[in-house]
Amino acid sequence: MAHPASERDVDLAARRLRAGGLVAFPTETVYGLGADARNPDAVRAVFRLKGRPATNPLIVHVAGVEQARALCAGWPASADRLAERFWPGPLTIVLPRSGAVPDEVAAGGPTVALRCPDHPVALALLRAFGGPLVGPSANPSGGVSPTTAEHVRRAFDERDALVLDGGPCRVGIESTVVSLAHTPPRVLRAGAISAQDIADALGCDVETDAEAVDSAGRALFSPGRFASHYAPAAPAELLDRADLLAELAREGGTRRVAALVFEPVDVESVDGVAEILMSADAQAYAQRLYAALHEADETRPERILIERPLGAGALWDAVRDRLRRACAPRG
Ligand code: TXA
Ligand code: MG
């Protein structure tokens, strides 16, 4: 059973970080793989453990605006407005970086991505450690993000990364990434905070390429520049319900199939199929999405079929973005 991180666990974790070690920590979005953002060796260890391409920069977690400022070449009024309105919370702000950010963190680029997470354990860790922490999602690169401590433990050895347990993540999908290094500001990754929320807070237009797709329906905006992301081990397909039911009728009982669906499917066709019921509520769906993909993988299916959500709204758009990537061909 999960045991929540105690003050002593947090202190031990902070000590591990000071020694250049790695600590997986809970946030409101997904679990992060933490390391001292000022220590290039520790940051390189994060890239190594995740198998992450050195060209993909890391988000830096901060305890608040004061720490964030020190990492930026300038802190505009727009950043203050966003931080006041959305921090701590699921918004990552990209700004030109200061000399305090190692090249490794920024993947050699001119900017840094900053976020103050809204989770008591993450904030306790940041306070105990007393400095900024890099925190990519605590999963092997390209795979499904972890939303429980158990997901992290299954992916990484405790000797490589200490895991702080903070229970299941509340939001369930990664933070919105907005660049203030662009004019007008630009949403680089969709999340629970919408482009409209950001535009309202700033009182200006905000561009979004979060929904840009190519002719094959693949997302183009990825800050990581990879179409395939958040991918389960088995190939996944996004289908309208009628097509999904037709596939199940064909495959049921003959191949191992896992299906994420909104309503139970006909019992006749369920034979040989692991059915995972999803909520029609966007928040509940997002909260459970990665756990559902992890569960689907555990049934060792040959295929994962996902019923396409048709709901309107920014959170559904963010969910569909993750689903498109989970289903994108790898390579
Ligand atoms: O919710 C989250 O943001 C989680 C939790 C742990 O905080 N973290 C997370 O990190 O999702 P990661 O590394 O899995 O995703 C970071 C994304 C990547 O797509 C990366 O390319 C982008 O943010 N990113 C990082 N630094 C950037 C920068 N300087 N400019 C543009 N994009 C950046
Ligand atoms: Mg990630």
Side-chain angles (χ1 to χ4, degrees):
M1 206 35 224
H3 103 100
S6 65
E7 218 172 291
R8 194 172 154 274
D9 295 330
V10 170
D11 285 339
L12 275 174
R15 218 177 302 162
R16 177 88 81 114
L17 290 167
R18 269 181 229 117
L22 310 189
V23 173
F25 60 95
T27 81
E28 79 280 33
T29 58
V30 302
Y31 276 69
L33 184 59
D36 183 349
R38 299 158 304 188
N39 178 342
D41 288 334
V43 172
R44 276 194 290 267
V46 169
F47 278 93
R48 250 194 330 270
L49 187 59
K50 275 183 67 79
R52 182 172 176 116
T55 49
N56 192 6
L58 302 181
I59 290 179
V60 178
H61 293 72
V62 292
V65 167
E66 199 185 318
Q67 259 179 16
R69 272 175 184 276
L71 301 170
C72 300
W75 183 259
S78 54
D80 256 337
R81 241 170 275 144
L82 291 183
E84 235 166 68
R85 172 78 185 76
F86 299 112
W87 280 5
L91 181 71
T92 295
I93 303 174
V94 174
L95 281 167
R97 66 173 159 128
S98 76
V101 178
D103 284 341
E104 284 80 358
V105 172
T111 58
V112 62
L114 299 159
R115 150 168 144 80
C116 178
D118 185 18
H119 193 291
V121 175
L123 290 169
L125 180 66
L126 282 161
R127 273 195 298 268
F129 175 64
L133 293 174
V134 292
S137 51
N139 52 280
S141 183
V144 177
S145 299
T147 52
T148 66
E150 191 49 39
H151 294 157
V152 183
R153 289 196 189 104
R154 267 184 244 148
F156 299 125
D157 196 304
E158 286 257 6
R159 279 169 302 194
D160 292 324
L162 191 80
V163 183
L164 288 177
D165 195 335
C169 301
R170 172 171 59 80
V171 176
I173 58 172
E174 298 81 355
S175 60
T176 305
V177 178
V178 64
S179 171
L180 296 178
H182 288 74
T183 311
R186 195 177 185 93
V187 172
L188 302 177
R189 180 173 72 185
I193 294 172
S194 70
Q196 189 59 54
D197 295 333
I198 295 167
D200 290 346
L202 292 178
C204 75
D205 280 348
V206 170
E207 285 187 346
T208 168
D209 35 9
E211 279 302 290
V213 290
D214 68 11
S215 54
R218 288 184 294 254
L220 291 174
F221 81 97
S222 165
R225 306 283 182 253
F226 309 117
S228 170
H229 215 128
Y230 318 113
E237 295 150 76
L238 195 54
L239 297 167
D240 291 324
R241 185 168 177 93
D243 296 332
L244 185 144
L245 293 178
E247 284 298 308
L248 286 185
R250 245 161 36 85
E251 297 274 39
T254 61
R255 289 173 78 182
R256 300 166 70 85
V257 180
L260 273 59
V261 289
F262 288 106
E263 300 284 339
V265 293
D266 180 358
V267 200
E268 294 282 281
S269 63
V270 172
D271 194 30
V273 174
E275 178 185 70
I276 298 174
L277 278 180
M278 301 301 290
S279 171
D281 173 71
Q283 270 184 32
Y285 191 105
Q287 203 267 335
R288 181 159 155 67
L289 171 59
Y290 291 142
L293 291 176
H294 283 288
E295 267 171 47
D297 262 343
E298 276 159 42
T299 69
R300 307 216 166 274
E302 287 175 47
R303 301 169 71 190
I304 298 175
L305 307 181
I306 303 173
E307 183 176 348
R308 189 191 311 280
L310 300 172
L315 191 52
W316 278 123
D317 289 342
V319 162
R320 276 188 288 269
D321 163 67
R322 303 310 191 276
L323 290 175
R324 267 197 302 273
R325 289 159 195 275
C327 296
R330 281 156 237 208

